[in-house]
Amino acid sequence: NAGVTQTPKFQVLKTGQSMTLQCAQDMNHEYMSWYRQDPGMGLRLIHYSVGAGITDQGEVPNGYNVSRSTTEDFPLRLLSAAPSQTSVYFCASRSLDTQYFGPGTRLTVL
Amino acid sequence: SQQGEEDPQALSIQEGENATMNCSYKTSINNLQWYRQNSGRGLVHLILIRSNEREKHSGRLRVTLDTSKKSSSLLITASRAADTASYFCATDARNTGNQFYFGTGTSLTVIP
């Protein structure tokens, strides 16, 4: 099993550009989530999904969109990147009480 | 915010010593978990303790939970250089649907 995979690992955007961060898991988990990690802030939940076709907002959803068309994939879209979205983004899938994290995407918005 | 807070923010110890880090949270929980994050990597689940448990062990890890004080502690015994990482607590709070809330983390450095 590959577990949770994320692409790309690094990305630099200019303000106003859009992009999609990809996340996939091969553990057949229904629950998936996106977090951002900023220095001194811990992880903050952006969006989550409890199954295909179902998504909901977390603590910091503004500026991000998600969709869940399959159990395996949970992409995160930045509609119009802003410098405040410079961060490390982690995708996770959940089995019962345990979350499994991807390796992260380091995003810089100039 | 329902986010927890770890204390201390940073901890530096000699190899072989014990490391203790604490987590405080704000709301009633179903369970509390500890995760480790090595530099530049994703988080890895270490141990879970449920709200009706007071202490749990896993190898060199010992976790305690005091729901009356809304706090937990993680003890790593006989530390090794490989334990150098950031440690986060995460709460599965009641009445929040399926959301986890992470603390701000403790950065542990174990000096060989």
Side-chain angles (χ1 to χ4, degrees), chain A residues 101, chain B residues 34-39 41-47 60-61 74 76 82-89 102 106 108:
Chain A
F101 284 83
Chain B
W34 286 89
Y35 287 79
R36 183 186 74 233
Q37 183 181 34
N38 290 93
S39 180
R41 309 290 287 272
L43 279 73
V44 175
H45 180 261
L46 293 176
I47 192 167
R60 293 185 296 113
L61 305 179
L74 172 67
I76 304 174
D83 294 328
T84 295
S86 291
Y87 292 82
F88 295 87
C89 66
F102 282 83
T106 292
L108 172 65

Side-chain angles (χ1 to χ4, degrees), chain A:
Chain A
N1 287 350
V4 180
T5 58
Q6 291 182 239
T7 56
K9 291 187 178 179
F10 301 94
Q11 183 70 49
V12 178
L13 293 177
K14 294 181 179 178
T15 297
Q17 287 185 316
S18 62
M19 80 159 294
T20 299
L21 279 65
Q22 301 292 343
C23 174
Q25 53 96 4
D26 60 0
M27 296 174 283
N28 203 34
H29 292 163
E30 293 293 331
Y31 184 91
M32 296 183 73
S33 54
W34 276 102
Y35 294 87
R36 60 177 290 173
Q37 184 176 32
D38 302 292
M41 299 286 290
L43 276 76
R44 291 182 292 169
L45 183 66
I46 304 172
H47 285 285
Y48 66 99
S49 169
V50 298
I54 306 170
T55 63
D56 206 347
Q57 297 180 350
E59 288 181 85
V60 289
N62 293 340
Y64 307 95
N65 272 1
V66 292
S67 59
R68 186 92 180 273
S69 56
T70 67
T71 298
E72 294 77 21
D73 300 299
F74 190 42
L76 178 72
R77 296 183 186 85
L78 280 70
L79 306 175
S80 178
S84 61
Q85 293 179 305
T86 293
S87 187
V88 181
Y89 291 84
F90 289 99
C91 178
S93 70
R94 175 175 172 174
S95 171
L96 298 177
D97 298 317
T98 301
Q99 291 205 91
Y100 299 86
F101 284 83
T105 294
R106 186 173 295 274
L107 175 68
T108 301
V109 182
L110 302 175

Side-chain angles (χ1 to χ4, degrees), chain B residues 68-86:
Chain B
S68 66
K69 296 181 179 178
K70 291 186 170 59
S71 68
S72 173
S73 67
L74 172 67
L75 169 68
I76 304 174
T77 60
S79 64
R80 305 166 182 169
D83 294 328
T84 295
S86 291

Side-chain angles (χ1 to χ4, degrees), chain B residues 50-112:
Chain B
R50 301 195 183 281
S51 60
N52 61 353
E53 297 175 314
R54 291 297 168 259
E55 186 171 315
K56 202 160 184 180
H57 296 255
S58 177
R60 293 185 296 113
L61 305 179
R62 173 179 169 252
V63 172
T64 61
L65 179 65
D66 187 335
T67 53
S68 66
K69 296 181 179 178
K70 291 186 170 59
S71 68
S72 173
S73 67
L74 172 67
L75 169 68
I76 304 174
T77 60
S79 64
R80 305 166 182 169
D83 294 328
T84 295
S86 291
Y87 292 82
F88 295 87
C89 66
T91 53
D92 184 358
R94 292 176 182 167
N95 304 319
T96 61
N98 295 288
Q99 299 190 36
F100 279 82
Y101 291 93
F102 282 83
T104 51
T106 292
S107 176
L108 172 65
T109 301
V110 180
I111 302 167

